[in-house]
Amino acid sequence: MTEIKKSIHGEWSSRFAFILAATGSAVGLGNIWKFPYITGENGGGAFVLVYLLCVALIGIPIMIAETLMGRRGRQSPINTMQSLARDAGADESWHYLGWIGVITGFLILSYYSVIAGWAMSYVFKSLSGSFSGEGVDHIAKLFDAFIASPMQLIFWHSLFMMATMDVVVRGVQGGLEKAVRFLMPSLFALLLVMVGYAMSTDAYQQGLDFMFNPDFSKIDGHSILTAMGHAFFTLSLGMGAIMVYGSYLPKHVSIAKTSFIVAGADTAVALLAGIAIFPIVFANNLEPSSGPGLIFQTLPIAFGQMTGGLIFGTLFFILLVFAALSSSISLIEPAVAWLVENHNVSRNKACTWAGLATWLLGLGTVFSFNLWSDFKLFDRTVFDLLDYLTANLLLPIGGFFVAVFAGWIMLRRHSEEELEMQYDAGYWLWRFLVRYVSPAAVFLVFLNVVGVLSV
Ligand code: TRP
């Protein structure tokens, strides 16, 4: 198939628009909320190092693979996989990979939206001066009381889901492109302000040491799996989000270059968030391993004490909400695109149904922080379970098969055409990584965690 196909859903207006959208998808709660708390739970430096290795050796090659497969297929991940498999003369059951992605996105969004709701409510808490001059105890109580209230969590979760679906309804170029153009740079600037504050605490060096001094005795097979899972999560890989964004990418935009930019920006934001947060943690004698509440229990202390904290705090949480929004839309876009393609429904209807289903499942996460906090399956609450299942299992499995498909199944000629680099050392390196290194790494991490290897 050599004719240039276009997606029926539209196209990004430029290379820059794609970079913004993909960076918008990658940079989100994963960087600012999740990365610091899992780094805290897994002992710091060594975990960060494993995460960075995973980004370089697994993440970037798979990001390139997903983007080029999307642009080649030009449809929702399910239909893209089907048509790519057909082109390669391979079995059409490859389209199940698209299905796993749609389901994974739906599961992730269900809890992502609840946490984004927390950030939304913190915009108003900050604005109303709830943090002003307050110390550790008050801020912790504020957070505990908040998550203990199902009604409040449902309210904000509903609001965030509505905002997400509202953007998705407008389609590819409509609201989103415009919003991220301004929001992503502002978020970056505000993070620098926070890093500035962190530098002014006496625990700055301690925070840096925690993040960058690897102590390998602190990690085990499970931390390695968490680090790898997070590399997928933070780069939005393994479920078709980047594939569907790739399907809206104009021809002749360099996929390798854009992938480096997106992964670089994403990593920078995560590291900056860590550098901003850990000094505050140590300066206030907080536990780095206190879990999902970490940023909600630390940053408000800083905002409460710094000059202009009311404004900075409010702005920070606003930007966090927008970072979450530009991620959440990519979690549901594969499902919406598929509904429109295969069920002949309008974008509007597709959004309504997909949004309602996600909202409903999100209630499970809401209750896992209060009414059902004692209900555990495999020793995990509903939220923990969803997070573990998606980030540590489904995304790496999805990514593994993306790598295998791009490296072994797809016609070499096709990937060369998409990357526009036939006889290039870069192409050779990418192909080597995607054929051998990335799949083997995912596989070894899994083996290690079930105890077959002992690292
Ligand atoms: N990467 C986003 C974050 O770090 C979350 C996200 C958006 C995502 N789309 C995804 C995660 C697709 C996995 C797959 O917050």
Side-chain angles (χ1 to χ4, degrees):
M1 230 186 286
T2 45
E3 87 273 22
I4 296 183
K5 285 197 286 179
K6 272 206 169 186
S7 166
I8 60 165
H9 309 284
E11 226 179 50
W12 306 111
S13 61
S14 65
R15 167 187 125 108
F16 187 58
F18 170 77
I19 292 179
L20 281 174
T23 309
S25 165
V27 174
L29 295 173
N31 306 61
I32 293 167
W33 159 75
K34 193 172 181 190
F35 174 71
Y37 93 74
I38 58 176
T39 299
E41 286 177 340
N42 290 282
F47 176 84
V48 173
L49 197 67
V50 177
Y51 151 78
L52 291 175
L53 270 177
C54 290
V55 167
L57 294 179
I58 307 176
I60 295 177
I62 292 182
M63 181 178 281
I64 295 175
E66 258 198 45
T67 317
L68 79 85
M69 284 160 68
R71 184 163 75 183
R72 190 84 205 172
R74 290 276 188 228
Q75 298 154 78
S76 71
I78 297 175
N79 293 328
T80 285
M81 285 314 302
Q82 186 156 25
S83 80
L84 293 181
R86 212 177 279 153
D87 285 357
D91 196 298
E92 288 193 17
S93 35
W94 275 101
H95 82 281
Y96 288 115
L97 182 54
W99 267 110
I100 299 178
V102 166
I103 292 163
T104 310
F106 165 71
L107 296 177
I108 296 179
L109 184 55
S110 79
Y111 72 80
Y112 201 86
S113 166
V114 175
I115 311 292
W118 297 2
M120 267 185 157
S121 107
Y122 267 60
V123 170
F124 295 92
K125 289 198 193 343
S126 175
L127 193 63
S128 66
S130 309
F131 311 146
S132 300
E134 296 294 352
V136 181
D137 292 341
H138 177 87
I139 300 287
K141 272 200 204 108
L142 195 75
F143 178 73
D144 291 340
F146 172 61
I147 64 167
S149 156
M151 282 327 279
Q152 287 200 50
L153 298 197
I154 291 175
F155 175 79
W156 296 106
H157 162 53
S158 311
L159 213 60
F160 185 81
M161 265 325 288
M162 284 195 274
T164 299
M165 299 331 289
D166 186 61
V167 178
V168 178
V169 159
R170 290 165 211 262
V172 176
Q173 281 193 16
L176 183 74
E177 250 194 63
K178 267 185 234 135
V180 283
R181 219 169 261 265
F182 157 75
L183 294 163
M184 300 317 293
S186 321
L187 180 71
F188 205 78
L190 219 70
L191 265 178
L192 291 178
V193 172
M194 296 308 296
V195 169
Y197 175 84
M199 289 171 96
S200 77
T201 65
D202 358 313
Y204 183 58
Q205 194 53 46
Q206 198 183 347
L208 285 189
D209 284 346
F210 180 75
M211 272 185 73
F212 297 111
N213 257 345
D215 172 358
F216 288 97
S217 67
K218 291 203 179 135
I219 56 171
D220 57 10
H222 257 103
S223 339
I224 297 177
L225 177 65
T226 306
M228 178 181 76
H230 187 65
F232 282 100
F233 185 91
T234 190
L235 296 172
S236 301
L237 297 175
M239 58 74 56
I242 293 296
M243 197 183 286
V244 85
Y245 276 18
S247 77
Y248 309 145
L249 183 63
K251 206 78 196 154
H252 301 307
V253 168
S254 161
I255 290 176
K257 256 191 230 146
T258 50
S259 298
F260 278 108
I261 297 173
V262 173
D266 183 77
T267 308
V269 171
L271 294 178
L272 283 176
I275 297 174
I277 284 157
F278 285 112
I280 305 176
V281 170
F282 294 117
N284 293 285
N285 293 318
L286 292 162
E287 260 316 306
S289 59
S290 63
L294 188 67
I295 68 158
F296 297 95
Q297 289 161 329
T298 49
L299 292 179
I301 302 175
F303 294 129
Q305 285 163 8
M306 66 209 251
T307 14
L310 196 107
I311 296 175
F312 284 139
T314 309
L315 264 179
F316 179 84
F317 284 110
I318 290 179
L319 293 171
L320 184 57
V321 170
F322 278 102
L325 194 58
S326 63
S327 299
S328 63
I329 53 177
S330 72
L331 284 162
I332 198 87
E333 178 67 22
V336 170
W338 177 78
L339 283 170
V340 172
E341 284 164 15
N342 289 40
H343 291 274
N344 204 16
V345 291
S346 65
R347 219 178 147 83
N348 221 321
K349 263 219 182 95
C351 286
T352 311
W353 287 113
L356 272 176
T358 316
W359 177 83
L360 203 65
L361 186 66
L363 297 181
T365 291
V366 165
F367 297 144
S368 74
F369 292 104
N370 35 65
L371 303 179
W372 299 349
S373 58
D374 293 328
F375 171 75
K376 302 221 166 121
L377 263 178
F378 304 107
D379 213 23
R380 292 192 161 83
T381 63
V382 176
F383 161 71
D384 291 334
L385 208 60
L386 282 171
D387 176 40
Y388 192 89
L389 178 72
T390 51
N392 293 2
L393 299 175
L394 291 170
L395 295 178
I397 291 172
F400 174 88
F401 284 108
V402 165
V404 168
F405 190 90
W408 297 92
I409 311 287
M410 194 174 183
L411 300 180
R412 180 176 181 141
R413 182 166 52 82
H414 288 172
S415 59
E416 280 174 352
E417 265 171 34
E418 291 302 328
L419 292 178
E420 297 183 320
M421 42 189 205
Q422 268 106 319
Y423 305 104
D424 196 297
Y427 181 80
W428 183 90
L429 177 65
W430 169 75
R431 194 169 162 86
F432 177 74
L433 288 171
V434 105
R435 274 166 85 95
Y436 302 101
V437 180
S438 321
V442 174
F443 194 65
L444 290 177
V445 173
F446 278 141
L447 281 189
N448 182 29
V449 102
V450 294
V452 179
L453 299 172
S454 50
V455 173

